[in-house]
mmCIF file of all heavy atoms in Angstrom:
data_model
loop_
_atom_site.group_PDB
_atom_site.id
_atom_site.type_symbol
_atom_site.label_atom_id
_atom_site.label_comp_id
_atom_site.label_asym_id
_atom_site.label_seq_id
_atom_site.Cartn_x
_atom_site.Cartn_y
_atom_site.Cartn_z
ATOM 1 N N TYR A 250 45.354 -64.992 -1.440
ATOM 2 C CA TYR A 250 45.572 -63.613 -1.313
ATOM 3 C C TYR A 250 46.253 -63.099 -2.534
ATOM 4 O O TYR A 250 47.043 -63.841 -3.196
ATOM 5 C CB TYR A 250 46.335 -63.409 -0.043
ATOM 6 C CG TYR A 250 45.621 -63.711 1.217
ATOM 7 C CD1 TYR A 250 45.877 -64.946 1.821
ATOM 8 C CD2 TYR A 250 44.692 -62.835 1.751
ATOM 9 C CE1 TYR A 250 45.111 -65.311 3.010
ATOM 10 C CE2 TYR A 250 43.970 -63.183 2.910
ATOM 11 C CZ TYR A 250 44.255 -64.452 3.585
ATOM 12 O OH TYR A 250 43.505 -64.679 4.683
ATOM 13 N N LYS A 266 68.727 -52.550 9.277
ATOM 14 C CA LYS A 266 68.061 -51.978 8.134
ATOM 15 C C LYS A 266 68.294 -52.858 6.917
ATOM 16 O O LYS A 266 68.351 -52.368 5.698
ATOM 17 C CB LYS A 266 68.424 -50.550 7.761
ATOM 18 C CG LYS A 266 68.320 -49.642 8.939
ATOM 19 C CD LYS A 266 66.875 -49.596 9.518
ATOM 20 C CE LYS A 266 66.728 -48.718 10.711
ATOM 21 N NZ LYS A 266 65.450 -48.729 11.396
ATOM 22 N N LYS A 305 62.468 -55.214 -6.190
ATOM 23 C CA LYS A 305 62.096 -55.157 -7.576
ATOM 24 C C LYS A 305 60.666 -54.913 -7.809
ATOM 25 O O LYS A 305 60.011 -55.515 -8.625
ATOM 26 C CB LYS A 305 62.598 -56.419 -8.270
ATOM 27 C CG LYS A 305 64.122 -56.699 -8.208
ATOM 28 C CD LYS A 305 64.478 -57.987 -8.851
ATOM 29 C CE LYS A 305 65.935 -58.282 -8.711
ATOM 30 N NZ LYS A 305 66.336 -59.617 -9.291
ATOM 31 N N GLN A 339 50.761 -24.442 13.263
ATOM 32 C CA GLN A 339 50.187 -24.606 14.635
ATOM 33 C C GLN A 339 50.850 -25.819 15.340
ATOM 34 O O GLN A 339 51.237 -25.642 16.512
ATOM 35 C CB GLN A 339 48.708 -24.942 14.503
ATOM 36 C CG GLN A 339 47.886 -23.683 14.140
ATOM 37 C CD GLN A 339 46.410 -24.092 14.081
ATOM 38 O OE1 GLN A 339 45.921 -24.802 13.205
ATOM 39 N NE2 GLN A 339 45.680 -23.570 15.040
ATOM 40 N N SER A 342 54.263 -24.809 16.561
ATOM 41 C CA SER A 342 54.250 -23.921 17.711
ATOM 42 C C SER A 342 53.976 -24.640 19.037
ATOM 43 O O SER A 342 54.567 -24.246 20.078
ATOM 44 C CB SER A 342 53.126 -22.908 17.549
ATOM 45 O OG SER A 342 51.822 -23.496 17.638
ATOM 46 N N TYR A 343 53.304 -25.899 18.920
ATOM 47 C CA TYR A 343 53.181 -26.704 20.155
ATOM 48 C C TYR A 343 54.488 -27.337 20.530
ATOM 49 O O TYR A 343 54.733 -27.662 21.682
ATOM 50 C CB TYR A 343 52.172 -27.735 19.937
ATOM 51 C CG TYR A 343 50.739 -27.276 20.142
ATOM 52 C CD1 TYR A 343 50.088 -26.446 19.170
ATOM 53 C CD2 TYR A 343 49.933 -27.727 21.113
ATOM 54 C CE1 TYR A 343 48.840 -26.003 19.300
ATOM 55 C CE2 TYR A 343 48.669 -27.294 21.395
ATOM 56 C CZ TYR A 343 48.066 -26.473 20.457
ATOM 57 O OH TYR A 343 46.819 -26.068 20.649
ATOM 58 N N GLY A 346 60.115 -24.982 22.101
ATOM 59 C CA GLY A 346 60.487 -24.835 23.484
ATOM 60 C C GLY A 346 60.273 -26.079 24.384
ATOM 61 O O GLY A 346 60.428 -26.021 25.597
ATOM 62 N N VAL A 355 58.750 -33.084 3.444
ATOM 63 C CA VAL A 355 58.056 -32.279 2.347
ATOM 64 C C VAL A 355 58.446 -32.757 1.013
ATOM 65 O O VAL A 355 59.511 -33.502 0.863
ATOM 66 C CB VAL A 355 58.531 -30.809 2.512
ATOM 67 C CG1 VAL A 355 58.257 -30.246 3.925
ATOM 68 C CG2 VAL A 355 60.052 -30.555 2.228
ATOM 69 N N TYR A 361 65.577 -30.562 8.349
ATOM 70 C CA TYR A 361 65.936 -30.571 9.752
ATOM 71 C C TYR A 361 66.531 -29.270 10.214
ATOM 72 O O TYR A 361 67.260 -28.619 9.382
ATOM 73 C CB TYR A 361 66.844 -31.737 10.099
ATOM 74 C CG TYR A 361 68.255 -31.672 9.427
ATOM 75 C CD1 TYR A 361 69.337 -31.153 10.191
ATOM 76 C CD2 TYR A 361 68.385 -32.170 8.129
ATOM 77 C CE1 TYR A 361 70.526 -31.178 9.449
ATOM 78 C CE2 TYR A 361 69.636 -32.116 7.481
ATOM 79 C CZ TYR A 361 70.721 -31.581 8.228
ATOM 80 O OH TYR A 361 71.954 -31.538 7.600
ATOM 81 N N SER A 376 76.175 -45.013 4.182
ATOM 82 C CA SER A 376 76.550 -46.443 3.885
ATOM 83 C C SER A 376 75.852 -46.914 2.597
ATOM 84 O O SER A 376 76.265 -48.042 2.109
ATOM 85 C CB SER A 376 75.926 -47.350 5.001
ATOM 86 O OG SER A 376 74.609 -47.438 4.911
ATOM 87 N N ARG A 382 70.656 -42.618 -1.751
ATOM 88 C CA ARG A 382 70.620 -41.865 -0.472
ATOM 89 C C ARG A 382 69.466 -40.905 -0.429
ATOM 90 O O ARG A 382 69.076 -40.314 -1.440
ATOM 91 C CB ARG A 382 71.919 -41.048 -0.431
ATOM 92 C CG ARG A 382 73.174 -42.023 -0.187
ATOM 93 C CD ARG A 382 74.495 -41.094 -0.193
ATOM 94 N NE ARG A 382 75.527 -42.076 -0.090
ATOM 95 C CZ ARG A 382 76.840 -41.574 -0.169
ATOM 96 N NH1 ARG A 382 77.138 -40.276 -0.416
ATOM 97 N NH2 ARG A 382 77.880 -42.465 -0.133
ATOM 98 N N ASP A 390 64.967 -22.411 9.824
ATOM 99 C CA ASP A 390 63.737 -22.222 10.569
ATOM 100 C C ASP A 390 62.515 -22.920 9.878
ATOM 101 O O ASP A 390 62.299 -22.679 8.694
ATOM 102 C CB ASP A 390 63.431 -20.696 10.605
ATOM 103 C CG ASP A 390 62.153 -20.386 11.404
ATOM 104 O OD1 ASP A 390 62.188 -20.501 12.657
ATOM 105 O OD2 ASP A 390 61.107 -20.124 10.779
ATOM 106 N N ILE A 401 53.504 -30.654 2.435
ATOM 107 C CA ILE A 401 53.992 -30.963 3.817
ATOM 108 C C ILE A 401 53.367 -32.257 4.194
ATOM 109 O O ILE A 401 52.221 -32.420 4.563
ATOM 110 C CB ILE A 401 53.650 -29.825 4.824
ATOM 111 C CG1 ILE A 401 54.060 -28.507 4.319
ATOM 112 C CG2 ILE A 401 54.252 -30.176 6.208
ATOM 113 C CD1 ILE A 401 53.340 -27.322 4.957
ATOM 114 N N MET A 407 60.358 -36.787 18.007
ATOM 115 C CA MET A 407 61.084 -37.817 18.692
ATOM 116 C C MET A 407 61.546 -37.289 20.105
ATOM 117 O O MET A 407 61.968 -36.115 20.183
ATOM 118 C CB MET A 407 62.296 -38.236 17.907
ATOM 119 C CG MET A 407 62.057 -38.765 16.470
ATOM 120 S SD MET A 407 63.249 -38.274 15.309
ATOM 121 C CE MET A 407 62.828 -36.590 15.059
ATOM 122 N N SER A 408 61.549 -38.149 21.093
ATOM 123 C CA SER A 408 61.978 -37.687 22.435
ATOM 124 C C SER A 408 62.118 -38.912 23.318
ATOM 125 O O SER A 408 61.348 -39.893 23.165
ATOM 126 C CB SER A 408 60.960 -36.749 23.102
ATOM 127 O OG SER A 408 61.405 -36.425 24.348
ATOM 128 N N THR A 409 63.184 -38.922 24.114
ATOM 129 C CA THR A 409 63.238 -39.999 25.151
ATOM 130 C C THR A 409 62.328 -39.695 26.268
ATOM 131 O O THR A 409 62.099 -40.579 27.084
ATOM 132 C CB THR A 409 64.757 -39.959 25.644
ATOM 133 O OG1 THR A 409 65.086 -38.690 26.188
ATOM 134 C CG2 THR A 409 65.714 -40.419 24.595
ATOM 135 N N SER A 418 51.742 -34.583 21.934
ATOM 136 C CA SER A 418 51.128 -35.121 20.758
ATOM 137 C C SER A 418 49.559 -35.212 21.029
ATOM 138 O O SER A 418 48.724 -34.979 20.067
ATOM 139 C CB SER A 418 51.539 -36.480 20.422
ATOM 140 O OG SER A 418 51.432 -37.476 21.486
ATOM 141 N N TRP A 431 51.939 -43.188 16.880
ATOM 142 C CA TRP A 431 53.270 -43.751 17.261
ATOM 143 C C TRP A 431 53.824 -44.730 16.173
ATOM 144 O O TRP A 431 53.088 -45.634 15.766
ATOM 145 C CB TRP A 431 53.186 -44.464 18.561
ATOM 146 C CG TRP A 431 52.879 -43.608 19.749
ATOM 147 C CD1 TRP A 431 51.647 -43.159 20.094
ATOM 148 C CD2 TRP A 431 53.816 -43.044 20.602
ATOM 149 N NE1 TRP A 431 51.728 -42.342 21.304
ATOM 150 C CE2 TRP A 431 53.145 -42.213 21.605
ATOM 151 C CE3 TRP A 431 55.204 -43.195 20.783
ATOM 152 C CZ2 TRP A 431 53.775 -41.549 22.599
ATOM 153 C CZ3 TRP A 431 55.846 -42.513 21.845
ATOM 154 C CH2 TRP A 431 55.150 -41.708 22.731
ATOM 155 N N ARG A 462 39.897 -57.847 1.496
ATOM 156 C CA ARG A 462 39.896 -59.344 1.806
ATOM 157 C C ARG A 462 41.086 -60.003 1.078
ATOM 158 O O ARG A 462 41.431 -61.111 1.411
ATOM 159 C CB ARG A 462 38.626 -59.873 1.442
ATOM 160 C CG ARG A 462 37.507 -59.553 2.242
ATOM 161 C CD ARG A 462 36.206 -60.324 1.972
ATOM 162 N NE ARG A 462 35.806 -60.344 0.613
ATOM 163 C CZ ARG A 462 35.010 -59.329 0.135
ATOM 164 N NH1 ARG A 462 34.568 -58.386 0.806
ATOM 165 N NH2 ARG A 462 34.743 -59.365 -1.242
ATOM 166 N N ASP A 491 52.265 -55.359 22.639
ATOM 167 C CA ASP A 491 51.083 -56.249 22.875
ATOM 168 C C ASP A 491 49.807 -55.652 22.304
ATOM 169 O O ASP A 491 48.928 -56.438 21.881
ATOM 170 C CB ASP A 491 50.862 -56.538 24.392
ATOM 171 C CG ASP A 491 51.961 -57.467 24.901
ATOM 172 O OD1 ASP A 491 52.599 -58.185 24.089
ATOM 173 O OD2 ASP A 491 52.205 -57.451 26.167
ATOM 174 N N LEU A 499 46.964 -62.643 13.413
ATOM 175 C CA LEU A 499 47.967 -63.700 13.538
ATOM 176 C C LEU A 499 49.299 -62.861 14.001
ATOM 177 O O LEU A 499 49.502 -61.757 13.653
ATOM 178 C CB LEU A 499 48.329 -64.265 12.181
ATOM 179 C CG LEU A 499 49.389 -65.330 12.031
ATOM 180 C CD1 LEU A 499 48.935 -66.633 12.695
ATOM 181 C CD2 LEU A 499 49.614 -65.616 10.529
ATOM 182 N N THR A 501 53.397 -63.492 14.109
ATOM 183 C CA THR A 501 54.529 -64.253 13.555
ATOM 184 C C THR A 501 55.760 -64.011 14.384
ATOM 185 O O THR A 501 55.755 -63.372 15.472
ATOM 186 C CB THR A 501 54.725 -64.117 12.100
ATOM 187 O OG1 THR A 501 55.618 -65.015 11.554
ATOM 188 C CG2 THR A 501 55.235 -62.670 11.771
ATOM 189 N N LEU A 518 51.829 -68.916 -1.147
ATOM 190 C CA LEU A 518 52.514 -69.795 -2.141
ATOM 191 C C LEU A 518 52.129 -71.215 -2.080
ATOM 192 O O LEU A 518 51.679 -71.751 -1.114
ATOM 193 C CB LEU A 518 54.076 -69.655 -1.951
ATOM 194 C CG LEU A 518 54.565 -68.293 -2.101
ATOM 195 C CD1 LEU A 518 56.080 -68.312 -1.792
ATOM 196 C CD2 LEU A 518 54.368 -67.766 -3.526
#
Side-chain angles (χ1 to χ4, degrees):
Y250 296 98
K266 308 302 180 191
K305 300 177 181 177
Q339 285 181 290
S342 70
Y343 278 72
V355 304
Y361 66 96
S376 72
R382 292 176 184 173
D390 183 75
I401 306 159
M407 301 144 283
S408 178
T409 55
S418 61
W431 290 83
R462 293 190 302 273
D491 289 342
L499 179 70
T501 189
L518 298 176

